Each structure stands twice: as structure tokens, then as C-alpha cells.
Amino acid sequence: MINLKEYEVWFVTGSQHLYGPETLKQVAGHSQEIAAFFDKSEKIPVKIIFRPVMKTPEEITGLCIDANAARSCIGLITWCHTFSPSKMWINGLKILNKPVLHLHTQYNRDLPWNEIDMDFMNLNQSAHGDREHGFIMTRMRINRKVVVGHWQDKEVQERIGIWTRAAVAWDDIQNAKIARFGDNMREVAVTEGDKVEAQIRFGLSVNGYGVGDLVKIVNEVSEDEIDKLVKQYLEIFEVAAEGRPGGTYHLNVRYQARIEAGMRKFLEEGGFKGFTTTFEDLHGLEQLPGLASQRLMDSGYGFGAEGDWKHSALVRALKVMGAGLKGGCSFMEDYTYHLNPAGMKVLGAHMLEICPTIGDGKAKLEVHPLGIGGKDDPARLVFNVPAGPAINASLVDMGNRFRMIVNSVDCVAPDADLPKLPVARALWVPQPDLKIGAAAWIYAGGAHHTAFSQALTSEYIEDFCEMAGIEYIHIGRQTNLKDFKKELKWNEMYYLLAKGL
């Protein structure tokens, strides 16, 4: 569903005619070599396309117009091999609406100590050429990522790769459509939000659909379609005996297959990239979509429970960023705590809807009562999440802006089995610890819902927020509450004043 090789980033080098044709020929040759190297790098998942060296204001403006119009272009990597006067870039940058990564590198890694002369100096001027280039983007308040180091360095490639993944997610969200089946959970504040502002800021379209619209399609699903899905379940999952053909709850499993087939058809026909459900609006459905929601997330769809459209969109964005990486992404919720002073932890879960891409081994397909919503017992996948680093990201509407909060966490194995807990679950220790991490999250207004990923780090989300122009808050190993509260207050003032810049 998500193919990152469909996307292009243009490699753009700045120079000027001052240096003469021979130098410009060398600049172009070096730039082509670097672009080709990045295009073949395993760390960079998109196509890197060399563009002719920019030498005049007209060329730069034309390039930016072309980039804006090119559907496959998701951003520019800029580099000034020589000195490229920044006034040449103003008109182009004024209209550019694609993300920018400013690469501060030079062709050679080491100085040729015994051979260096003025020809070498005239050719290799990025040390001050990129400072001129950086000034104009800072002067114009253009958000961008700056990566410093030799272009062949592993870290440089990795950081460019992270940015390109964020750029794909930014492109993907521009025309994303989220289907809300019913409204949000009643009287809940954090799942509300300004959907018009979300479309202005992100390009994201969020619309509601009556559950009856879905029920009609679900009821039309054929028995053959259900049979095919159930066969997949039996092959892919460890299906409990009562859920197998002839078992007490086999019809419950078949009904989740019916919901999955119907919901998938609704989403595909409508061109949606995510959806929400709520247990308070299930009229006409026999079960809350559990297994169905898990399977659709596994296919790349975003999901938010209780009508939480912001986290449906965020789950989708993280799935795009993490496509092809080890580790998965899921809708998640901080559910309950282990407050033993010897090792405080968070048990993350939800009623049903955790994506199996984050599972440790083969998931179990079971049927149990839900205890909420007043419907039949739903089928769901039950599994643990493997130990290792992860992030929890939350997107909240602060009234005058969107805020992204990211907590880096360390997943751990459960202290004991959880034989009576029939849901998928993750156990983690928030950084820097539960007391500080949870307090910082609450001070920041983070939601109880999150997008959870073991494939990504906080840097991916930071890059995405730069592209979106939204507030970014990170809770990590270095967080202390005294400075964190100051950061929140400073941000309030910044975002109030920034509207006038």
C-alpha cells in the first residue's frame, strides 16, 4: 500500500557564473556524483534526482515552480558547492511549497594539504557558500533541516533518509481523507479539534459518515468473501479452538471478517487513508470492529478509537514514515500503571484495536466479552510487544495551534504472564522515568491516545513538525520538569508572536 520509491527528492546545487565554465562543469559533475550516491544508498528510501546547477535568479525561480507542480517531487536537498548569492534565491523560495533539507557538505572529505591552491579554494567554497544560503532561509523564516558532514558518511545518509521519510508522510497527508464512523466519544475533550484548521495546516480532510452507510456495505458482503478472510485468519494467526469452524464463537470470528471486508470496501471506494469508530455509535453492527480494525491498520490505514481523527491521521503518517523499516506502528493508549518503586512501568493497550505489526511472534485470535458498548463478544488479536526502544506521539489541538508531543520510551517484557487480559498490550518505561515522563506529558496536555512506533525515533516526528509548521515537544532522557515547564511557557509566547512575523 505504501511504496516510497514512487517519490522523488530533487538534489539542487547553487553556484553562479562568476567562476567560469570549467569550474561550473566540475560543480555539475560533483553534484551528479553525490546525487547518484544518495539515490543508491540503502539509508535513503526515495529517488534522488539530480537537477542542473542553479546559477541565476531565473533558473532558481523556474526550478521552484517546477518542483511545486511535480506531483512526484516531495522536497529539495539544497547545497552550495561554491558561493551562491542568496538574493538570487529569494523569489524562488518565496513561492516554494515543498520541504527543504539544507545539506552542508563538500565534495572532498580531506584537505589536500600539499596540493591545495586557489583553484581548489574557488571550487570548494561550501564552508561559506552554505552560510550565505542559510542566511536567506533564516531571514525568510523558512523551516528546514540542516545536515552537516561529508556526504559519504553513514550518519549523513541516515539523517537524510529520516527527513525523506518525513517528507513522504507530509506529502501523503496533504490529500488524506479520514472517515469518521459516528462522532467522537461523548463529553471527551481531547478527541475534539478544529477540522477546518487541520485541513488548512495539514491538507487533511476529515468527514463523518453515518454508521448506517457502513452497515449497508457490511451486510452485502458475501459468504465467499468471508470464507476467504477466515481462511487467511486460520493460516496467519493462532486461532483459539472456540473460534475455529465448529467452535462456540466461530460465528463471531466470521462477523469480524464481514466487518473487515465491508469496511475495506468502503475505505477503498472512498479513497480514505484512515478511519475512526466509537463504541457509543454501533447501531446496526453486531460487534465493535476489533479484529477488523487491527487488520486494516496492518494494511497501512490510520485508526483512531472513540472518534479520534487526529490520531487516526497520525497513525497513518507514522506508518508511511516507517514503511519497510523493522518494527511496526499502532494506535495506542496509556492504560494502567505498575507503580512498584523497584521499576515503574506503563501498560499500554486498548479495548481491541492494537495493530499486529508491533506484535512479538504469532498473534492469537480470540473471542471474549468486551464489557462496554452492549454488543456481541468481538474477535480480536492478542499479543505482546517485544522489548526495545519506541516512541509515543500525540497530536493535540491547543486552540491557537496544533502541538505534537513525543515521549521516547523503552519497551520491556512483562514481569509475568497476563493470562486473563485478552487484548494486545505493550509494556514500557517512559524516559527519563515514569514520574517525570508522565508529569511532563500531563503538563504538555498530551492525549491518552497516541501513535506508537518501534520503527521510528523522535527525529522523524521533529522533521515532520518542521514541515507542518507546528509545535514540537520531546520528552526524553534529558528532560527535567523545571526546564520543561519553562519550554511550554516560552512556546506559548513564541506561537502568539510568530503569527506577526
Side-chain angles (χ1 to χ4, degrees):
M1 187 175 182
I2 302 167
N3 180 11
L4 301 187
K5 278 299 181 183
E6 295 177 352
Y7 300 90
E8 299 176 357
V9 167
W10 292 359
F11 189 85
V12 181
T13 306
S15 187
Q16 59 179 323
H17 281 296
L18 176 67
Y19 303 107
E22 187 57 36
T23 296
L24 289 174
K25 182 178 179 181
Q26 289 178 278
V27 168
H30 291 169
S31 299
Q32 285 177 297
E33 184 179 344
I34 294 171
F37 179 82
F38 287 156
D39 188 54
K40 294 177 182 177
S41 171
E42 294 180 354
K43 306 291 183 183
I44 301 173
V46 303
K47 297 176 183 176
I48 304 297
I49 306 297
F50 166 79
R51 295 304 302 246
V53 176
M54 298 290 104
K55 306 172 292 298
T56 68
E58 293 76 18
E59 290 176 350
I60 294 166
T61 301
L63 174 98
C64 292
I65 292 171
D66 291 344
N68 287 344
R71 184 66 191 88
S72 58
C73 176
I74 58 168
L76 307 182
I77 296 175
T78 62
W79 170 50
C80 292
H81 193 315
T82 64
F83 196 81
S84 181
S86 64
K87 284 180 65 179
M88 297 197 308
W89 291 80
I90 292 174
N91 286 342
L93 292 175
K94 278 169 56 178
I95 62 172
L96 182 66
N97 60 21
K98 299 292 175 77
V100 177
L101 182 146
H102 184 178
L103 177 63
H104 187 41
T105 190
Q106 63 183 26
Y107 177 72
N108 59 295
R109 190 192 71 176
D110 302 327
L111 285 174
W113 301 103
N114 294 327
E115 290 83 24
I116 189 169
D117 56 17
M118 285 310 300
D119 287 340
F120 179 92
M121 299 285 274
N122 285 331
L123 175 62
N124 298 283
Q125 297 188 51
S126 58
H128 62 286
D130 275 329
R131 282 170 167 78
E132 169 77 355
H133 189 55
F135 163 75
I136 200 60
M137 286 194 276
T138 297
R139 173 68 177 80
M140 297 175 69
R141 275 71 175 180
I142 294 174
N143 292 342
R144 77 278 192 194
K145 182 172 188 172
V146 178
V147 176
V148 180
H150 191 254
W151 50 278
Q152 292 179 327
D153 288 351
K154 178 181 177 182
E155 181 191 2
V156 167
Q157 296 171 62
E158 288 176 344
R159 297 197 66 210
I160 292 173
I162 289 171
W163 177 84
T164 62
R165 287 177 174 275
V168 173
W170 176 240
D171 180 83
D172 182 79
I173 205 172
Q174 295 300 301
N175 299 296
K177 295 167 60 180
I178 303 296
R180 300 179 75 211
F181 297 116
D183 204 347
N184 67 304
M185 183 179 173
R186 300 178 193 116
E187 304 297 342
V188 177
V190 77
T191 53
E192 295 282 5
D194 189 338
K195 296 189 285 293
V196 172
E197 183 61 27
Q199 188 156 359
I200 294 170
R201 175 61 60 185
F202 302 107
L204 177 69
S205 176
V206 182
N207 287 297
Y209 295 86
V211 177
D213 295 335
L214 174 61
V215 170
K216 181 178 183 297
I217 296 177
V218 167
N219 289 342
E220 291 172 352
V221 172
S222 70
E223 293 299 316
D224 286 344
E225 292 176 274
I226 295 172
D227 289 341
K228 289 178 182 178
L229 282 177
V230 171
K231 182 180 179 182
Q232 289 182 30
Y233 300 164
L234 293 169
E235 293 172 352
I236 297 172
F237 307 120
E238 183 182 329
V239 182
E242 61 270 21
R244 289 179 168 274
T248 308
Y249 289 116
H250 182 62
L251 290 180
N252 299 58
V253 173
R254 290 184 65 83
Y255 191 74
Q256 281 290 327
R258 176 179 291 279
I259 298 176
E260 178 189 338
M263 192 175 286
R264 191 180 295 274
K265 182 178 181 181
F266 187 103
L267 297 173
E268 288 177 351
E269 290 182 350
F272 297 101
K273 294 179 179 177
F275 66 101
T276 71
T277 62
T278 173
F279 61 86
E280 288 185 325
D281 193 351
L282 297 173
H283 185 71
L285 291 176
E286 297 175 13
Q287 300 175 22
L288 175 66
L291 174 62
S293 297
Q294 293 177 296
R295 289 268 295 170
L296 288 163
M297 268 193 286
D298 195 2
S299 297
Y301 286 100
F303 171 78
E306 292 114 44
D308 192 344
W309 55 270
K310 294 188 295 298
H311 286 91
S312 177
L314 186 56
V315 168
R316 167 65 184 186
L318 267 62
K319 283 188 173 292
V320 171
M321 289 185 221
L325 296 179
K326 183 180 179 180
C329 169
S330 178
F331 176 78
M332 185 59 73
E333 180 172 272
D334 294 66
Y335 222 104
T336 191
Y337 290 141
H338 180 67
L339 293 178
N340 188 320
M344 296 185 178
K345 308 177 182 76
V346 178
L347 180 61
H350 205 257
M351 294 182 296
L352 301 172
E353 311 96 340
I354 301 297
C355 180
T357 59
I358 64 171
D360 186 9
K362 196 171 187 178
K364 298 178 181 178
L365 199 166
E366 302 177 3
V367 179
H368 299 276
L370 184 59
I372 195 168
K375 293 290 183 176
D376 289 348
D377 301 343
R380 83 290 301 269
L381 299 176
V382 178
F383 53 84
N384 291 321
V385 172
I391 59 169
N392 269 313
S394 179
L395 181 64
V396 295
D397 187 341
M398 298 299 294
N400 63 342
R401 67 191 184 278
F402 287 101
R403 169 182 283 172
M404 185 82 77
I405 305 129
V406 178
N407 187 193
S408 297
V409 305
D410 297 294
C411 290
V412 295
D415 294 6
D417 291 335
L418 299 160
K420 295 184 178 181
L421 183 62
V423 294
R425 58 270 176 145
L427 194 70
W428 65 77
V429 179
Q431 295 180 11
D433 57 44
L434 190 147
K435 285 188 175 181
I436 295 175
W441 190 271
I442 290 169
Y443 277 124
H448 57 287
H449 292 161
T450 62
F452 171 93
S453 175
Q454 288 190 307
L456 307 176
T457 65
S458 60
E459 186 175 356
Y460 292 82
I461 315 302
E462 183 177 8
D463 287 352
F464 180 85
C465 291
E466 286 281 356
M467 296 170 193
I470 65 171
E471 183 183 8
Y472 168 79
I473 298 289
H474 179 231
I475 304 167
R477 295 200 190 281
Q478 306 305 315
T479 298
N480 70 79
L481 291 178
K482 182 178 179 180
D483 290 341
F484 187 80
K485 289 193 286 185
K486 288 179 181 178
E487 181 182 358
L488 295 177
K489 291 178 180 179
W490 293 336
N491 284 4
E492 289 287 358
M493 184 60 68
Y494 168 79
Y495 281 96
L496 177 67
L497 297 174
K499 292 182 178 180
L501 291 178

